[in-house]
Amino acid sequence: MSDFTVLDLLDLDLKEHNHLSLSCIGGRAGLSRKITTSKISRPGLPLSGFFDEFSNNSIQVFGRGEQVYISKLEREKNLSSLEKLFSYDIPCCVFCDDGTPSDSLLALAEQSGTAVLSTPLISSDFSRRLYQTLDEVFAPTQTIHGVLVEVYGIGVLITGESGVGKSETALELIERGHRLISDDTVRLRNISDNYLIGMGENPLLAHHMEIRGLGIINLANLFGVGAIRDRKQVQLSVHLEEWEADKNYDRVGESSLNDTYLGISIPMVVIPVKPGRNIPVIIETAARNERLKKLGYYSAKEFDQSVLKWLESESARKMYYINEETL
């Protein structure tokens, strides 16, 4: 994300266990200062006067130890390291555990135009939440045309040509008790090159759905808040396409298809659409099957092994009878 500022950090609408509980207690002129990295810094060494490799472009997090050390420096009237710290264009300072900076530190912050923030969280909890938040803010993003639903706990991304029935399929899944994340457009985020998070391109419109013949419907109003969620990890890609009679579709499940977004590969299934096929039930089955795979159970491989065992046993019986007849 470009031009992400300290004020943007304060305005983030984070829920429950992700909430940073930040408030500005000084240096309000620095709220417009940009945050350019997801890294954070604990400035213990700089406070002691060691500024080699100082991460001055990172948010500076002051825990209990740093706060006690600052008090010691102030009692000794040795503020040179503090003055040098604020001579850098650091994005902001955060005092954890409801720490209260001294008047001299606030004066340095005001003079340098650096925002000073406070949070009731202890430094370990705050650092974990902040790193996770910034990692998502600065994650590579991609917007695609599709529908994202949660089916049996699996984030299913439904793609296909316009008019193939993506929204209608998602609507049937919601009626069957599953949840919608976004219809029509889905924003994907690459989190730490490890997994994909999907959400609506516009949070205000994500839970609205366009159904041909009905128009725009609000899923939360129709089915309740239990039918929607804000975001979900994308774990399965389902591509809907018109049935082609001369195309050879996978009937056993041995072939392993993958879809790649932002450099991350996720399992994919291709479902041909034609009248009479119950696509929502097929997607439910695909989601259940994906959960089984994550538990180490592969239906296609199990089927192959069963067939091989059966063939081996038949061959063994035939060889036994042949040998009996020749005696």
Side-chain angles (χ1 to χ4, degrees), residues 231-288:
R231 60 187 61 201
K232 176 65 181 176
Q233 180 183 348
V234 181
Q235 298 156 290
L236 178 65
S237 174
V238 173
H239 184 73
L240 303 182
E241 63 177 36
E242 296 289 347
W243 180 285
E244 297 180 22
D246 57 347
K247 185 173 180 179
N248 185 23
Y249 293 103
D250 184 16
R251 300 181 64 179
V252 179
E254 289 181 316
S255 60
S256 180
L257 301 177
N258 290 282
D259 227 348
T260 301
Y261 298 99
L262 297 169
I264 295 180
S265 180
I266 57 175
M268 180 181 73
V269 294
V270 177
I271 300 178
V273 178
K274 73 173 184 178
R277 300 202 85 201
N278 195 328
I279 304 303
V281 170
I282 296 174
I283 292 178
E284 284 182 332
T285 305
R288 287 178 183 267

Side-chain angles (χ1 to χ4, degrees), residues 25-83:
I25 56 177
R28 292 186 178 276
L31 291 177
S32 61
R33 190 168 289 184
K34 295 179 182 179
I35 300 173
T36 59
T37 178
S38 60
K39 296 178 180 178
I40 60 177
S41 175
R42 298 289 297 271
L45 288 175
L47 288 175
S48 66
F50 186 80
F51 283 86
D52 292 1
E53 303 295 332
F54 174 46
S55 182
N56 62 288
N57 62 339
S58 304
I59 295 175
Q60 307 298 312
V61 178
F62 293 78
R64 279 285 190 181
E66 289 85 0
Q67 294 176 39
V68 170
Y69 190 72
I70 289 174
S71 299
K72 175 177 179 295
L73 293 177
E74 291 178 334
R75 288 195 303 271
E76 297 172 353
K77 297 183 179 181
N78 180 13
L79 301 180
S80 58
S81 58
L82 267 178
E83 293 171 351

Side-chain angles (χ1 to χ4, degrees), residues 1 3-15 18-33 35 59 91-95 114-120 126 130 133-134 137:
M1 177 182 291
D3 297 337
F4 183 76
T5 66
V6 179
L7 183 59
D8 293 326
L9 179 65
L10 286 171
D11 287 342
L12 284 177
D13 185 21
L14 302 174
K15 303 291 193 304
N18 292 322
H19 203 286
L20 298 175
S21 303
L22 286 170
S23 59
C24 182
I25 56 177
R28 292 186 178 276
L31 291 177
S32 61
R33 190 168 289 184
I35 300 173
I59 295 175
C92 63
C93 298
V94 180
F95 279 73
T114 304
V116 179
L117 312 180
S118 177
T119 176
F126 175 77
L130 178 61
T133 299
L134 294 179
V137 166

Side-chain angles (χ1 to χ4, degrees), residues 19-218:
H19 203 286
L20 298 175
S21 303
L22 286 170
S23 59
C24 182
I25 56 177
R28 292 186 178 276
L31 291 177
S32 61
R33 190 168 289 184
K34 295 179 182 179
I35 300 173
T36 59
T37 178
S38 60
K39 296 178 180 178
I40 60 177
S41 175
R42 298 289 297 271
L45 288 175
L47 288 175
S48 66
F50 186 80
F51 283 86
D52 292 1
E53 303 295 332
F54 174 46
S55 182
N56 62 288
N57 62 339
S58 304
I59 295 175
Q60 307 298 312
V61 178
F62 293 78
R64 279 285 190 181
E66 289 85 0
Q67 294 176 39
V68 170
Y69 190 72
I70 289 174
S71 299
K72 175 177 179 295
L73 293 177
E74 291 178 334
R75 288 195 303 271
E76 297 172 353
K77 297 183 179 181
N78 180 13
L79 301 180
S80 58
S81 58
L82 267 178
E83 293 171 351
K84 186 173 181 179
L85 187 144
F86 280 102
S87 68
Y88 290 89
D89 289 331
I90 57 179
C92 63
C93 298
V94 180
F95 279 73
C96 298
D97 208 7
D98 274 333
T100 303
S102 64
D103 292 340
S104 57
L105 188 145
L106 287 175
L108 288 171
E110 292 286 351
Q111 183 180 352
S112 62
T114 304
V116 179
L117 312 180
S118 177
T119 176
L121 299 172
I122 62 174
S123 57
S124 57
D125 285 347
F126 175 77
S127 297
R128 175 179 52 80
R129 296 186 190 189
L130 178 61
Y131 181 80
Q132 182 178 349
T133 299
L134 294 179
D135 200 29
E136 186 169 324
V137 166
F138 291 100
T141 63
Q142 178 184 355
T143 300
I144 65 169
H145 179 64
V147 182
L148 182 59
V149 291
E150 182 190 57
V151 181
Y152 296 128
I154 298 290
V156 180
L157 178 63
I158 305 174
T159 61
E161 296 294 328
S162 180
V164 77
K166 300 184 295 295
S167 295
E168 290 80 0
T169 298
L171 181 60
E172 174 66 22
L173 287 169
I174 293 162
E175 288 183 341
R176 296 172 66 88
H178 306 294
R179 298 198 281 182
L180 174 75
I181 291 87
S182 181
D183 178 58
D184 192 43
T185 56
V186 180
R187 177 185 289 180
L188 301 176
R189 288 186 182 274
N190 175 333
I191 306 299
S192 303
D193 288 328
N194 190 23
Y195 58 93
L196 290 171
I197 289 291
M199 64 198 75
E201 177 70 12
N202 185 331
L204 297 177
L205 304 178
H207 301 137
H208 291 73
M209 182 176 285
E210 179 189 355
I211 302 296
R212 287 172 174 82
L214 290 181
I216 304 297
I217 60 175
N218 187 318

